[in-house]
Amino acid sequence: MSRALTLGTRLGQALARAEHSPRARRVLLHPVVTRPGYWFATASGLLWGGVLSGLRVRSRGGVIVAEHVPRWAFGRGGTTIGAVYLTCDNASDNVLAHEAVHREQWRKYGLWFIPLYLLAGQNPLTNRFEVEAGLELGGYVRAKSTRAPKGSTEN
């Protein structure tokens, strides 16, 4: 394992432990600490998304959307970096509502969001940040049917 990866893993684990300590939370998650990271992430996302989308960037659904970004430039159907959502063509109202929650997570955690998200795991069904953002809205699970089950008598 590389030295940087080991250090990143240790940092992420320390952050996860600190998240359960009220005192550490107050310090590490204070806006004075996290907000500059959020702004940096947003500026980076805007630069990355702006360049790769050919400046096709607009505000929609509570996030800044950079559409027509090449698929190799982000994960899954899209990725939110700070307040910027990078996607090729996955910008439905539901997805944008999901991504707006991720924007708020970035605001709360700043750059701490990166190791915390990675520590939460790559399976969206068990990743607490994806669950909080809404698995149905994000397209990870199908919406529950409103139809009555077979054999039931609905009046």
Side-chain angles (χ1 to χ4, degrees):
M1 188 180 289
S2 77
R3 185 173 228 179
L5 187 57
T6 302
L7 180 62
T9 302
R10 286 185 184 158
L11 174 63
Q13 290 169 341
L15 285 170
R17 282 191 304 275
E19 196 175 15
H20 298 292
S21 163
R23 187 176 202 197
R25 278 180 77 87
R26 274 194 309 276
V27 173
L28 293 175
L29 298 182
H30 193 281
V32 169
V33 174
T34 60
R35 211 51 55 87
Y38 167 72
W39 295 330
F40 176 78
T42 298
S44 299
L46 205 51
L47 178 64
W48 181 249
V51 168
L52 293 177
S53 72
L55 299 178
R56 288 176 281 206
V57 177
R58 60 194 166 112
S59 181
R60 187 171 154 226
V63 293
I64 300 166
V65 181
E67 287 186 277
H68 309 292
V69 173
R71 293 186 192 282
W72 57 261
F74 54 84
R76 299 188 181 123
T79 298
T80 296
I81 302 173
V84 182
Y85 174 56
L86 309 172
T87 187
C88 181
D89 57 5
N90 189 22
S92 70
D93 290 342
N94 281 348
V95 168
L96 293 180
H98 174 91
E99 298 305 326
V101 174
H102 286 318
R103 188 200 84 209
E104 287 305 312
Q105 292 165 340
W106 273 99
R107 276 193 75 187
K108 178 179 181 179
Y109 295 105
L111 292 177
W112 300 127
F113 185 60
I114 298 167
L116 289 172
Y117 185 94
L118 293 173
L119 244 122
Q122 293 302 303
N123 180 350
L125 303 179
T126 57
N127 180 305
R128 69 188 184 105
F129 298 105
E130 295 296 344
V131 171
E132 181 183 331
L135 296 174
E136 286 181 14
L137 290 173
Y140 293 113
V141 296
R142 286 189 182 160
K144 294 179 180 132
S145 175
T146 56
R147 292 178 34 196
K150 282 186 178 182
S152 73
T153 54
E154 194 173 304
N155 294 346

